[in-house]
Amino acid sequence: MNKNKLPKQEENFSDWYNQVIQRAELADYAPVRGCMVVRPYGWAIWENIQSALNKRFKDTGHVNAAFPLFIPMSFLEKEKEHVKGFSPELAVVTIGGGEKLEEPLVVRPTSETIIGHMYAKWIKSYRDLPVLINQWANVVRWEMRTRLFLRTLEFYWQEGHTAHATAEEAKIETRQMLDVYTDFAVNVAAVPVVPGLKSDNEKFAGAVRSYTIEAMMKDTKALQSGTSHYLGQNFAKAFDIQYLDLNNKLQYCWTTSWGLSTRFVGAIIMTHGDNQGLVLPPRLAPIQVVIIPIFRSEEEKKAVMNAAGKAEKMLSGLRIKVDDRIEMTPGFKFNDWELRGVPLRIEIGPKDVEKNAVMIARRDIPGREGKSSLPIDSLKAQIPAILDDIHDNLLAKATKFRDDHIYNPNDYDEFRSLINSGWAYSYWCGDKACEAKIKKDTKATIRCIPFDQKNINGKCIYCGKEAKQKAYFSRAY
Ligand SMILES: [Zn+2]
């Protein structure tokens, strides 16, 4: 571990972010610029994200499959908006096995086209519908400006692709998966996301409508943390995904796609982290509780290790680590596990053993306030409840931070000054030109238009024309 102090968030947030990732051994830079190596501790967070999402996908009737990494170039060209949106970021293979390929192959930036091609083959009749498939995969988008987890040339994600008999069903699916993401973000990751609709300008290339969950990072920038797209019949028509209906008539399907990526690890880091390092939400933390035995003599060691073993046993079922490294001082270990964001630390020294107790320290409450003594026999009952309380506290803190930094500016001047320190929740007339001018002036984009938009009547924050909706504007990653 690097002995220099971690940069302070308030002094250099971006430096803090990069260093915390490397020091906590979540990820590292790869030899190819813009690529990322996800280290075991970072991958363990991703695995926990995967299992929380997989459970929710399966509970809503989805199954997993795997589609190829290479896509014929011609597939992408079949959907006009899609190819326009993705062309600048494509990695293309033109040589294979030492020979020039007849048709260039694209390394998948997303899989609507290849999956659409297969669905056209598999779907024959209304009896085959709906098709509800998800895949866990890596994708490649040739980004120019990259950041670990947030934007890398290659990243990991899941992409769900569904086909339905009616528009209504596909719309319900699109919203259902946004709800699944919201539930995951709030109740598993303690990230209080704001769900809503993307403006046309910000929607997925080829979608009719895109929905998003947006999270506020500790520097008040927004991070798009998951998206769900209603594709209408755009891809069904491009790929001939058709079915015979009850009357034996050929109909085009209605499709959706939805994805959440390793970017979400970035959301967790920047939502909860502090100047000591990572703060991991207990339900995703690879290590939920670290036990640190403290002793000076062989005699103390025996009694302390015995108690540590007992504590570990009582907590079986949780993700526990006993840090029995002898070459490091307890103080070093405290800092090390704080940096790595372990939600709860249990310290056991000779005095605790005498009292048949342990000392616990919560990562979410710094200093003495987060410390208390617990009878060792109560651990089994108490620790899971404390972990739940840590989750609730992280969610409450992040929600308060978010709400404290959402402003309702009165006019455009105020908008321009407030947008540097938070989000603006403002009236928007719906005109793309206003959206573009705001972006040019302030770098702020429309993050989403939230759902509860009844009886909204006001004047567009930019042009002053009548507006029937309000949108969240912010600078974003
Ligand atoms: Zn306007």
Side-chain angles (χ1 to χ4, degrees):
M1 201 176 71
N2 191 331
K3 286 215 174 68
N4 297 326
K5 268 201 149 175
L6 199 61
K8 284 201 162 63
Q9 287 186 326
E10 55 276 22
E11 282 164 14
N12 191 338
F13 193 76
S14 133
D15 198 19
W16 171 87
Y17 177 78
N18 292 332
Q19 289 210 31
V20 94
I21 286 173
Q22 293 197 68
R23 292 186 189 203
E25 299 180 343
L26 296 180
D28 207 345
Y29 297 102
V32 174
R33 191 197 61 83
C35 287
M36 160 176 75
V37 177
V38 184
R39 299 186 68 176
Y41 194 53
W43 193 255
I45 298 173
W46 181 238
E47 282 181 336
N48 291 336
I49 292 174
Q50 286 184 308
S51 69
L53 286 176
N54 256 330
K55 182 184 181 311
R56 286 163 175 76
F57 296 162
K58 287 175 183 177
D59 285 350
T60 45
H62 302 84
V63 288
N64 288 331
F67 293 84
L69 176 70
F70 296 124
I71 302 177
M73 187 68 191
S74 59
F75 280 28
L76 264 89
E77 287 158 356
K78 285 187 185 181
E79 215 291 332
K80 227 173 52 229
E81 291 300 318
H82 193 63
V83 72
K84 204 167 84 189
F86 280 103
S87 292
E89 332 181 316
L90 292 181
V92 183
V93 179
T94 53
I95 296 173
E99 289 188 25
K100 189 162 184 286
L101 300 175
E102 257 175 58
E103 181 182 350
L105 300 176
V106 168
V107 182
R108 64 182 164 210
T110 177
S111 303
E112 277 74 10
T113 58
I114 189 139
I115 293 179
H117 174 84
M118 298 315 295
Y119 282 6
K121 196 171 153 190
W122 296 341
I123 297 166
K124 302 281 178 227
S125 104
Y126 68 91
R127 287 181 214 92
D128 301 324
L129 295 171
V131 176
L132 307 172
I133 293 180
N134 173 64
Q135 84 164 336
W136 292 94
N138 54 343
V139 289
V140 168
R141 296 178 187 176
W142 214 266
E143 303 277 3
M144 298 321 274
R145 293 173 59 195
T146 59
R147 295 288 297 279
L148 291 172
F149 288 113
L150 302 178
R151 185 166 274 115
T152 47
L153 293 199
E154 180 190 15
F155 62 88
Y156 302 87
W157 75 345
Q158 57 70 216
E159 47 180 324
H161 296 270
T162 68
H164 306 262
T166 66
E168 195 50 35
E169 258 186 55
K171 286 177 188 168
I172 290 170
E173 166 79 7
T174 312
R175 284 292 301 272
Q176 171 185 258
M177 300 325 286
L178 190 76
D179 290 346
V180 162
Y181 289 152
T182 307
D183 171 55
F184 159 77
V186 173
N187 296 316
V188 180
V191 174
V193 292
V194 176
L197 179 70
K198 282 280 176 200
S199 68
D200 275 353
N201 195 43
E202 297 282 330
K203 76 182 180 190
F204 176 75
V208 175
R209 274 202 285 284
S210 288
Y211 298 96
T212 176
I213 49 170
E214 297 286 322
M216 185 188 284
M217 305 295 96
K218 273 200 172 163
D219 62 352
T220 75
K221 280 192 192 167
L223 185 78
Q224 177 179 301
S225 306
T227 48
S228 184
H229 313 292
Y230 169 62
L231 305 174
Q233 293 182 315
N234 291 351
F235 286 88
K237 286 185 173 160
F239 288 90
D240 275 325
I241 314 173
Q242 287 181 295
Y243 71 99
L244 284 170
D245 69 10
L246 276 163
N247 304 316
N248 234 15
K249 264 185 71 181
L250 260 186
Q251 304 279 4
Y252 283 107
C253 286
W254 304 82
T255 67
T256 81
S257 68
W258 28 275
L260 184 144
S261 76
T262 35
R263 187 163 227 241
F264 204 93
V265 177
I268 291 167
I269 299 167
M270 292 194 288
T271 299
H272 301 306
D274 63 18
N275 285 336
Q276 270 62 55
L278 288 178
V279 177
L280 295 178
R283 291 167 196 163
L284 291 175
I287 299 168
Q288 294 171 301
V289 181
V290 64
I291 300 174
I292 300 182
I294 303 165
F295 50 81
R296 284 199 205 90
S297 65
E298 274 305 306
E299 200 188 329
E300 281 180 2
K301 180 180 174 182
K302 206 175 154 203
V304 164
M305 287 309 292
N306 189 27
K310 191 176 167 193
E312 186 186 17
K313 221 170 167 185
M314 290 186 82
L315 297 174
S316 64
L318 295 176
R319 297 184 288 272
I320 309 288
K321 179 169 179 74
V322 179
D323 185 356
D324 56 4
R325 293 178 289 180
I326 46 165
E327 66 279 17
M328 282 133 182
T329 63
F332 177 91
K333 291 180 183 178
F334 295 172
N335 288 335
D336 193 30
W337 294 111
E338 275 178 14
L339 169 72
R340 288 165 204 268
V342 173
L344 198 63
R345 178 173 83 225
I346 295 182
E347 305 164 12
I348 309 179
K351 281 189 180 148
D352 302 304
V353 174
E354 266 171 37
K355 288 185 287 186
N356 217 9
V358 300
M359 190 58 86
I360 63 162
R362 290 171 59 143
R363 180 65 180 90
D364 61 320
I365 307 175
R368 279 182 183 216
E369 228 182 297
K371 291 187 84 164
S372 54
S373 175
L374 277 186
I376 199 160
D377 292 321
S378 75
L379 293 183
K380 194 182 171 72
Q382 297 246 35
I383 298 298
I386 294 170
L387 291 174
D388 282 341
D389 194 59
I390 293 174
H391 171 92
D392 292 346
N393 184 40
L394 290 180
L395 181 61
K397 278 208 275 191
T399 306
K400 184 179 186 311
F401 180 84
R402 181 197 70 189
D403 293 346
D404 286 348
H405 294 88
I406 294 179
Y407 308 116
N408 287 276
N410 290 309
D411 54 39
Y412 191 55
D413 278 343
E414 215 175 289
F415 179 102
R416 290 177 70 149
S417 75
L418 288 172
I419 207 73
N420 294 315
S421 58
W423 297 5
Y425 186 44
S426 294
Y427 291 102
W428 175 50
C429 63
D431 190 342
K432 272 185 186 175
C434 292
E435 189 184 9
K437 279 169 188 157
I438 290 171
K439 185 176 178 182
K440 192 164 171 262
D441 282 357
T442 67
K443 292 191 181 132
T445 48
I446 293 180
R447 303 318 305 160
C448 71
I449 302 155
F451 295 115
D452 44 352
Q453 297 267 344
K454 279 184 197 117
N455 303 321
I456 288 194
N457 249 314
K459 293 196 172 359
C460 176
I461 191 72
Y462 186 81
C463 69
K465 279 190 211 137
E466 194 192 10
K468 296 239 176 254
Q469 59 191 346
K470 287 185 92 171
Y472 288 104
F473 292 83
S474 169
R475 298 151 306 136
Y477 282 99

